Amino acid sequence: MAQSYYDKLGVSKNASKDEIKKAYHKLALRYHPDKTGGDDKRFKEINEAYQILSDEKKRSEYDTYGRVFGEGQSASGQGFSQGFDFSGFDFSGGGEQSAWDLGDIFENFFSGRGQAGGGGARRRVKRGRDIFIDLEVSFEESIFGVERKVLISKTSACEKCDGKGAEPGTELKKCDICDGSGRVHETRKSFLGSFTTLKECSRCLGRGTIPSKKCSLCRGEGVRVKSEEILVRVPSGIESGEMIKIVGMGEAMANGVPGDLYCKVHVSRHPTLRRDGPHLNMDLDIKISDAILGIEREVKTLDGLIKIKIPAGVDYGEILRVRGKGVPNQRGGRGDLLIKILVRTPKRLSSKERKLVEDLRQEGF
């Protein structure tokens, strides 16, 4: 199994930001390539781990999904807005207590939707749901990478109106409910007073415009459920359980940004090969006579058949290394193929074979 980012920095999973920073500085100083005894590969691994674990969003995503291939917006939701703007509320002191929902009021307040409609107001960007799927690849595909097409039924932008909701060739007109602003004022009364907040217009869904003629395919929604073929690029060297993130390929949302697609990779077992980080391991059975005298054998690898020379006098469990036949790395090189020699002992011997073995014993073998 590959080391986690926490293992690479030598810290526990619940380490504080300060502990992570101290561990990084200590290891970076030790392995810096400009220093005597430095290790460029180790230094890059340490730096990569620190870049993820020192960022709260990236660390949270890594803890949830493991190593994620791809860039884009985090799968986690938006946090609380910083620097609240109280100008969108009217505390004019309505003493009458009527139907109110304090939870809704403070939900709008803390999510930033209770801000004023002036130039300083900020809208909360709506986001479609993320989609999670499983993807099975062969052992060879996980080593060299592969492109796979998957068919997913999901809410997508309407291809006829391009998400606008209007029939092609027709115009969009200003929404008469919100007067083109995309938001409307809503006043509620509570024991704290009258609260005026800004809400998304339910008619135009925050767009500010409505179609003069609705799209006949999506009926003016701008989105519709359909099957979509998506290309998934599986990078070389991926391990079972890792995630591939494809930005913008999740569920679409009217007047919002689409979610992301997460593919969890499952790697099938290989009949003879096993992965060990950048290297590939395999076992090779040989006869006792081959171990004593040496032999040349053909071995099936991911690159096809190769010939290896087994030296005379090889021991049981000895490892033969074939360089450059392992897992590809980001620098264009590859790990090695490690072949473990297993000497096969015969269970039954003919009288002639037994005699030969006894003669060998007499000679000191």
Side-chain angles (χ1 to χ4, degrees):
M1 291 292 294
Q3 279 189 318
S4 70
Y5 288 141
Y6 294 100
D7 293 335
K8 289 178 180 179
L9 291 181
V11 296
S12 64
K13 194 171 182 179
N14 58 354
S16 65
K17 290 184 71 173
D18 189 51
E19 289 173 331
I20 290 172
K21 187 175 181 180
K22 287 181 179 179
Y24 167 70
H25 285 164
K26 181 179 178 180
L27 292 172
L29 186 64
R30 177 180 176 184
Y31 291 106
H32 196 285
D34 291 342
K35 291 193 64 176
T36 304
D39 188 328
D40 182 61
K41 179 182 177 182
R42 186 83 172 90
F43 181 76
K44 288 179 179 178
E45 290 177 350
I46 294 166
N47 190 60
E48 178 186 355
Y50 180 69
Q51 293 302 317
I52 297 298
L53 299 184
S54 62
D55 185 285
E56 289 186 5
K57 285 188 177 180
K58 292 180 181 179
R59 182 178 180 181
S60 175
E61 185 177 272
Y62 175 72
D63 289 340
T64 305
Y65 306 113
R67 183 183 174 195
V68 176
F69 292 83
E71 297 179 356
Q73 187 175 356
S74 170
S76 59
Q78 299 291 332
F80 288 117
S81 301
Q82 300 298 318
F84 302 118
D85 185 354
F86 290 85
S87 58
F89 296 94
D90 177 14
F91 296 97
S92 55
E96 178 184 357
Q97 183 172 342
S98 59
W100 52 272
D101 187 339
L102 193 61
D104 286 346
I105 292 172
F106 283 100
E107 179 186 359
N108 292 333
F109 173 71
F110 284 110
S111 65
R113 289 180 287 182
Q115 296 176 1
R122 292 182 297 171
R123 297 187 188 184
R124 183 182 181 183
V125 178
K126 295 188 298 181
R127 187 171 182 272
R129 293 186 303 172
D130 294 330
I131 298 175
F132 297 84
I133 65 171
D134 294 292
L135 184 66
E136 187 168 345
V137 298
S138 68
F139 186 84
E140 184 174 2
E141 289 170 338
S142 75
I143 299 300
F144 296 116
V146 68
E147 290 186 352
R148 298 283 284 274
K149 292 181 179 179
V150 294
L151 189 65
I152 299 176
S153 179
K154 66 185 183 78
T155 303
S156 303
C158 178
E159 65 273 23
K160 185 174 183 179
C161 66
D162 197 26
K164 296 182 176 67
E167 189 73 15
T170 61
E171 295 182 353
L172 295 170
K173 61 181 182 180
K174 185 167 65 174
C175 177
D176 53 359
I177 299 296
C178 64
D179 197 31
S181 67
R183 291 178 291 175
V184 294
H185 290 269
E186 181 177 86
T187 301
R188 297 186 185 185
K189 292 183 178 181
S190 74
F191 65 90
L192 296 175
S194 296
F195 289 81
T196 301
T197 62
L198 289 173
K199 302 283 286 187
E200 180 185 272
C201 178
S202 58
R203 184 173 185 185
C204 66
L205 300 178
R207 295 188 183 99
T209 58
I210 57 175
S212 56
K213 183 179 180 182
K214 293 182 178 180
C215 173
S216 59
L217 189 60
C218 67
R219 300 180 181 179
E221 295 293 330
V223 294
R224 71 187 193 93
V225 178
K226 63 177 182 177
S227 295
E228 187 172 345
E229 191 176 66
I230 300 173
L231 180 67
V232 180
R233 292 183 173 89
V234 180
S236 62
I238 196 168
E239 296 196 55
S240 194
E242 290 185 320
M243 303 282 283
I244 300 172
K245 178 181 178 180
I246 305 178
V247 177
M249 284 299 167
E251 297 272 3
M253 177 174 281
N255 195 35
V257 297
D260 301 326
L261 172 64
Y262 287 86
C263 305
K264 186 174 183 178
V265 176
H266 301 273
V267 180
S268 301
R269 289 181 176 273
H270 193 274
T272 59
L273 295 172
R274 304 178 301 276
R275 181 172 176 178
D276 181 16
H279 305 306
L280 296 177
N281 293 338
M282 68 173 293
D283 298 332
L284 181 63
D285 292 333
I286 63 172
K287 299 176 183 178
I288 291 179
S289 57
D290 294 337
I292 295 172
L293 302 175
I295 193 173
E296 193 175 75
R297 288 280 297 273
E298 279 192 341
V299 174
K300 188 176 182 180
T301 70
L302 295 180
D303 299 277
L305 289 174
I306 62 171
K307 287 185 177 181
I308 62 168
K309 187 175 182 181
I310 300 173
V314 68
D315 291 325
Y316 182 97
E318 194 168 333
I319 303 295
L320 303 182
R321 181 185 296 268
V322 183
R323 297 194 179 278
K325 297 297 181 182
V327 182
N329 57 45
Q330 296 179 350
R331 298 190 296 274
R334 290 179 63 178
D336 301 330
L337 173 63
L338 306 176
I339 304 173
K340 184 177 181 179
I341 300 298
L342 304 178
V343 181
R344 188 171 67 244
T345 304
K347 304 301 180 184
R348 295 181 180 179
L349 295 175
S350 65
S351 57
K352 182 179 180 181
E353 290 169 339
R354 181 175 292 276
K355 177 69 168 58
L356 290 172
V357 173
E358 288 175 351
D359 290 343
L360 287 172
R361 179 188 288 177
Q362 293 296 325
E363 294 294 331
F365 281 94

